[in-house]
Amino acid sequence: MDAAESSTATAPPQAPGEDRHGALALVNTEFSRPNGPYDGLRDTESAAAWLNNRGLLPSGTPVVSRELERLLELRRSLRELLDAHLSDAAPAPTALSTLNTTLAAAPTVREIHWEHTGPVAAVRRPADDPVGAALTVLAENAVELLTGPPSGRLSTCGAPGCTRLFVRTHGARRWCSDRCGNRVRAARHYTDHRTARGRTT
């Protein structure tokens, strides 16, 4: 296994907010980290597995190259939109166009399901384009992430070398994971220890 392959071998721990926001989880399938880049959507097989694990694609449904490109294009656009939101800047029109096109690509039909508790509104999407439907779900979630309550708590990991995004669970949180927080604290401890030794010599 070469360096490029090893940098994608281990999936990172889930960042806060990824469990509720598929769009955030999608963006975080690609990021920088101290030991090299990570890409969780390297090929059609990993893309199909990711969509299936998120409950967005039925098990066994393949993803073809064209669909992988659509997924990666949406990922690039969402990253640009979220970065623009965090920096109070305007995104490139192409990023916004990709999101809006994805939102419009798979029409939905509202249905009523009768559960044991009573009627429940549901949304049915076309069965002939399951990947397109999955992309639309991710795009709709991105709208919530950009304009809903989570938008004010969105943050970039404060650990040097890490570019993952997360939704803060409390105002003081600065790291996307305990791993990043521990790495920063260990680096500070090492620096403080060296400084203290320097004073005593």
Side-chain angles (χ1 to χ4, degrees):
M1 181 180 293
D2 60 25
E5 290 174 324
S6 64
S7 69
T8 63
T10 305
Q14 192 173 66
E18 286 188 19
D19 56 337
R20 299 181 304 279
H21 303 288
L24 178 63
L26 174 61
V27 168
N28 280 343
T29 59
E30 181 181 45
F31 64 98
S32 298
R33 56 185 179 177
N35 61 334
Y38 174 83
D39 188 350
L41 303 177
R42 305 177 298 282
D43 48 37
T44 55
E45 290 77 15
S46 58
W50 186 85
L51 289 168
N52 176 253
N53 290 338
R54 295 291 310 182
L56 296 169
L57 200 65
S59 180
T61 303
V63 172
V64 300
S65 297
R66 177 180 55 82
E67 293 168 332
L68 173 60
E69 281 305 312
R70 289 165 58 196
L71 180 61
L72 297 181
E73 182 183 11
L74 180 61
R75 180 176 71 177
R76 287 190 294 270
S77 297
L78 293 184
R79 179 73 203 212
E80 182 164 348
L81 291 169
L82 293 175
D83 283 346
H85 170 67
L86 286 170
S87 61
D88 294 322
T94 52
L96 201 55
S97 176
T98 294
L99 175 59
N100 288 330
T101 299
T102 306
L103 286 167
T108 61
V109 177
R110 290 180 65 81
E111 296 180 328
I112 291 290
H113 291 179
W114 214 270
E115 308 289 348
H116 68 278
T117 56
V120 176
V123 170
R124 177 169 56 85
R125 301 180 186 280
D128 60 345
D129 186 13
V131 175
L135 295 184
T136 303
V137 171
L138 291 167
E140 288 171 344
N141 182 256
V143 174
E144 169 66 15
L145 195 58
L146 284 163
T147 65
S151 67
R153 294 181 285 118
L154 189 67
S155 183
T156 304
C157 184
C162 181
T163 59
R164 280 212 300 175
L165 303 178
F166 68 99
V167 176
R168 292 190 305 276
T169 52
H170 54 78
R173 179 160 191 144
R174 297 180 58 197
W175 328 119
C176 70
S177 66
D178 290 340
R179 179 187 299 175
C180 275
N182 291 338
R183 181 164 54 82
V184 171
R185 284 187 285 271
R188 285 176 179 167
H189 175 76
Y190 177 74
T191 300
D192 292 345
H193 183 66
R194 287 194 63 184
T195 302
R197 287 185 59 186
R199 293 195 188 107
T200 59
T201 58

